[in-house]
Amino acid sequence: MQPKIFVCRRLPEGAMQALEGAFEVECNPNDRVLTREELLAGVAGKDGVVSLLTDRIDDEVLDAAGPQLKIMANYAVGYNNVDVAACTAHKVAVTNTPGVLTDTTADLTMALLLATSRRLCESDAYTRAGKYEGWAPLLFLGTDVHHKTLGLMGFGRVGYAVAKRAAGFDMKILYHDSHPCPPELKQKVGATCVDRETLLKESDFISMHVPLTPETRHLLSTDEFALMKPTAYVINTARGEVIDEAALAAAIKSGQIAGAGLDVFEDEPAIHPDLVANPSVVLLPHIGSASIETRTAMGMLDYDNLRACLIEGKVPPNCLNPEVFN
Ligand code: DGY
């Protein structure tokens, strides 16, 4: 008999086929976030679950699943939606999808940085609206990216991949991270480790690359915006909650900083109305990892983790709480 799994929302076809070949799969039939009731009903009696960052996984869900649940395979590298301690207490392994989305997210970070500084979205809307009447010296003047200073808040996998790309734009790269970075890595991209205040004061672009934890919540708020240059842009492809969104909206509105490029929001899918109203802000619907290749690879990592745990009886390769196997 194949192990039973519940998939909280349909994944790209390649990944679904792999899952359907190895497991008895029940999948959310609708292309929308499950209601709480649907989630609780869906997980009941399953051996494994493919959860998404839009699903809060806590004691209630684990109780609804029942004692045969062995693994929560989160379809994301970030797992702030999962109460890992509760899973551990229920002897449920938690896995995530690190590595495969690093370059795709770094690509999007650069796209957002360029779109924001060079006013691509405003220019596109203007051109489509039929307003373009010919080249003009002052039309959509933005700000240069090359030779500017990029401040990376967090220098893990994605932060480093962004630094590699930024080096190609001749940017000066600063970073701040609570974990030390191997010297050969920073030398490779010419990145300099600085304290938080220096990064905030000296950067033209400040890009967030930290996981969401109690320590990183509102890492940027009123005091931090006050230290930034009035020409600075904030870029966020990490998690919305690492920035105090109301404080960011106020800082841009008052001209304290120049603008922002945001792929993530504090209370997704809601967005602060002042950010929506402000043309100096580029807004994306959390698409950092959204390429067919990467979203398929994330699904295949979930497959590998589910397979290891439910079929091979092994510790899954991306297990966040291996102690459940002791
Ligand atoms: C993640 O993986 O954490 C992203 O936010 C979605 O791919």
Tab-separated table of all heavy atoms in Angstrom, residues 53 75-80 97 101 105 237-239 264 286 288-290 295 298, ligand 1:
chain	number	residue	atom	x	y	z
A	53	LEU	N	3.738	28.089	2.275
A	53	LEU	CA	3.949	29.167	3.242
A	53	LEU	C	2.654	29.897	3.604
A	53	LEU	O	2.616	30.683	4.543
A	53	LEU	CB	5.018	30.134	2.739
A	53	LEU	CG	4.870	30.767	1.355
A	53	LEU	CD1	4.071	32.036	1.410
A	53	LEU	CD2	6.245	31.022	0.773
A	75	TYR	N	6.878	23.435	1.199
A	75	TYR	CA	7.268	23.771	-0.186
A	75	TYR	C	7.840	25.193	-0.212
A	75	TYR	O	7.282	26.096	-0.814
A	75	TYR	CB	6.023	23.628	-1.065
A	75	TYR	CG	6.221	23.866	-2.554
A	75	TYR	CD1	6.972	23.002	-3.331
A	75	TYR	CD2	5.607	24.943	-3.179
A	75	TYR	CE1	7.128	23.216	-4.692
A	75	TYR	CE2	5.745	25.164	-4.541
A	75	TYR	CZ	6.521	24.296	-5.285
A	75	TYR	OH	6.667	24.508	-6.642
A	76	ALA	N	8.958	25.403	0.469
A	76	ALA	CA	9.617	26.706	0.561
A	76	ALA	C	10.905	26.505	1.337
A	76	ALA	O	11.006	25.547	2.116
A	76	ALA	CB	8.733	27.712	1.303
A	77	VAL	N	11.844	27.422	1.147
A	77	VAL	CA	13.033	27.354	2.003
A	77	VAL	C	12.702	27.946	3.374
A	77	VAL	O	13.148	27.436	4.396
A	77	VAL	CB	14.258	28.049	1.340
A	77	VAL	CG1	14.051	29.527	1.138
A	77	VAL	CG2	15.521	27.811	2.156
A	78	GLY	N	11.892	29.024	3.397
A	78	GLY	CA	11.470	29.621	4.662
A	78	GLY	C	10.409	28.731	5.299
A	78	GLY	O	9.561	28.182	4.602
A	79	TYR	N	10.459	28.611	6.613
A	79	TYR	CA	9.484	27.722	7.266
A	79	TYR	C	8.868	28.391	8.501
A	79	TYR	O	8.493	27.732	9.459
A	79	TYR	CB	10.115	26.361	7.600
A	79	TYR	CG	11.437	26.439	8.324
A	79	TYR	CD1	11.485	26.471	9.715
A	79	TYR	CD2	12.621	26.513	7.631
A	79	TYR	CE1	12.686	26.556	10.390
A	79	TYR	CE2	13.836	26.596	8.280
A	79	TYR	CZ	13.858	26.615	9.663
A	79	TYR	OH	15.056	26.718	10.317
A	80	ASN	N	8.769	29.731	8.433
A	80	ASN	CA	8.177	30.452	9.551
A	80	ASN	C	6.686	30.166	9.712
A	80	ASN	O	6.090	30.495	10.728
A	80	ASN	CB	8.410	31.962	9.380
A	80	ASN	CG	7.989	32.454	8.015
A	80	ASN	OD1	8.631	32.136	7.012
A	80	ASN	ND2	6.894	33.176	7.959
A	97	THR	N	13.005	23.409	1.395
A	97	THR	CA	13.570	23.230	0.043
A	97	THR	C	14.744	24.189	-0.202
A	97	THR	O	14.674	25.055	-1.082
A	97	THR	CB	12.485	23.470	-1.023
A	97	THR	OG1	12.051	24.838	-0.930
A	97	THR	CG2	11.292	22.556	-0.861
A	101	LEU	N	16.371	27.252	-4.971
A	101	LEU	CA	15.773	28.538	-5.375
A	101	LEU	C	16.712	29.725	-5.201
A	101	LEU	O	16.343	30.870	-5.445
A	101	LEU	CB	14.460	28.778	-4.617
A	101	LEU	CG	14.419	28.523	-3.114
A	101	LEU	CD1	15.174	29.557	-2.365
A	101	LEU	CD2	12.991	28.419	-2.652
A	105	THR	N	15.911	33.376	-6.923
A	105	THR	CA	15.545	34.480	-6.031
A	105	THR	C	16.538	35.633	-6.179
A	105	THR	O	16.150	36.809	-6.163
A	105	THR	CB	15.485	33.978	-4.570
A	105	THR	OG1	14.626	32.836	-4.526
A	105	THR	CG2	14.952	35.045	-3.636
A	237	THR	N	13.107	40.599	-0.815
A	237	THR	CA	12.623	39.338	-1.398
A	237	THR	C	12.673	38.231	-0.335
A	237	THR	O	12.669	37.051	-0.675
A	237	THR	CB	13.490	38.910	-2.615
A	237	THR	OG1	14.869	38.890	-2.211
A	237	THR	CG2	13.320	39.850	-3.791
A	238	ALA	N	12.754	38.637	0.941
A	238	ALA	CA	12.903	37.634	2.019
A	238	ALA	C	11.531	37.307	2.619
A	238	ALA	O	10.811	36.437	2.098
A	238	ALA	CB	13.882	38.159	3.064
A	239	ARG	N	11.167	38.008	3.689
A	239	ARG	CA	9.836	37.881	4.277
A	239	ARG	C	9.368	39.280	4.650
A	239	ARG	O	10.149	40.094	5.152
A	239	ARG	CB	9.868	37.013	5.548
A	239	ARG	CG	9.945	35.517	5.293
A	239	ARG	CD	8.637	34.967	4.695
A	239	ARG	NE	8.684	33.524	4.495
A	239	ARG	CZ	9.087	32.929	3.373
A	239	ARG	NH1	9.476	33.658	2.329
A	239	ARG	NH2	9.073	31.615	3.270
A	264	VAL	N	7.547	40.833	-1.061
A	264	VAL	CA	6.904	40.210	0.103
A	264	VAL	C	6.354	41.297	1.009
A	264	VAL	O	6.859	42.424	1.010
A	264	VAL	CB	7.925	39.330	0.872
A	264	VAL	CG1	8.270	38.069	0.109
A	264	VAL	CG2	9.199	40.111	1.190
A	286	HIS	N	5.068	38.086	-4.484
A	286	HIS	CA	5.877	37.002	-3.897
A	286	HIS	C	6.242	35.952	-4.967
A	286	HIS	O	5.837	34.790	-4.873
A	286	HIS	CB	5.131	36.337	-2.723
A	286	HIS	CG	6.056	35.644	-1.766
A	286	HIS	ND1	5.776	35.514	-0.423
A	286	HIS	CD2	7.250	35.032	-1.959
A	286	HIS	CE1	6.757	34.848	0.171
A	286	HIS	NE2	7.672	34.541	-0.745
A	288	GLY	N	9.577	35.457	-6.002
A	288	GLY	CA	11.037	35.287	-5.968
A	288	GLY	C	11.512	33.971	-6.574
A	288	GLY	O	12.481	33.919	-7.317
A	289	SER	N	10.826	32.881	-6.256
A	289	SER	CA	11.267	31.556	-6.741
A	289	SER	C	10.440	31.082	-7.933
A	289	SER	O	10.524	29.920	-8.328
A	289	SER	CB	11.150	30.531	-5.604
A	289	SER	OG	9.793	30.383	-5.218
A	290	ALA	N	9.630	31.997	-8.508
A	290	ALA	CA	8.627	31.557	-9.477
A	290	ALA	C	9.149	31.395	-10.902
A	290	ALA	O	8.768	32.135	-11.802
A	290	ALA	CB	7.431	32.514	-9.456
A	295	ARG	N	10.359	26.064	-9.360
A	295	ARG	CA	9.197	25.553	-8.625
A	295	ARG	C	9.074	24.039	-8.809
A	295	ARG	O	8.579	23.338	-7.930
A	295	ARG	CB	7.935	26.285	-9.074
A	295	ARG	CG	7.867	27.736	-8.596
A	295	ARG	CD	7.417	27.843	-7.148
A	295	ARG	NE	7.622	29.167	-6.587
A	295	ARG	CZ	6.756	30.171	-6.661
A	295	ARG	NH1	5.589	30.011	-7.246
A	295	ARG	NH2	7.033	31.330	-6.114
A	298	MET	N	11.740	22.559	-6.490
A	298	MET	CA	11.277	22.594	-5.088
A	298	MET	C	10.344	21.412	-4.818
A	298	MET	O	10.414	20.756	-3.779
A	298	MET	CB	10.554	23.924	-4.808
A	298	MET	CG	11.481	25.119	-4.748
A	298	MET	SD	10.590	26.700	-4.889
A	298	MET	CE	9.599	26.696	-3.398
B	1	DGY	C1	10.565	30.460	0.095
B	1	DGY	O1	10.919	29.399	-0.427
B	1	DGY	O2	10.719	30.672	1.305
B	1	DGY	C2	9.973	31.504	-0.797
B	1	DGY	O3	9.471	32.573	-0.114
B	1	DGY	C3	8.949	30.913	-1.729
B	1	DGY	O4	9.612	30.121	-2.622
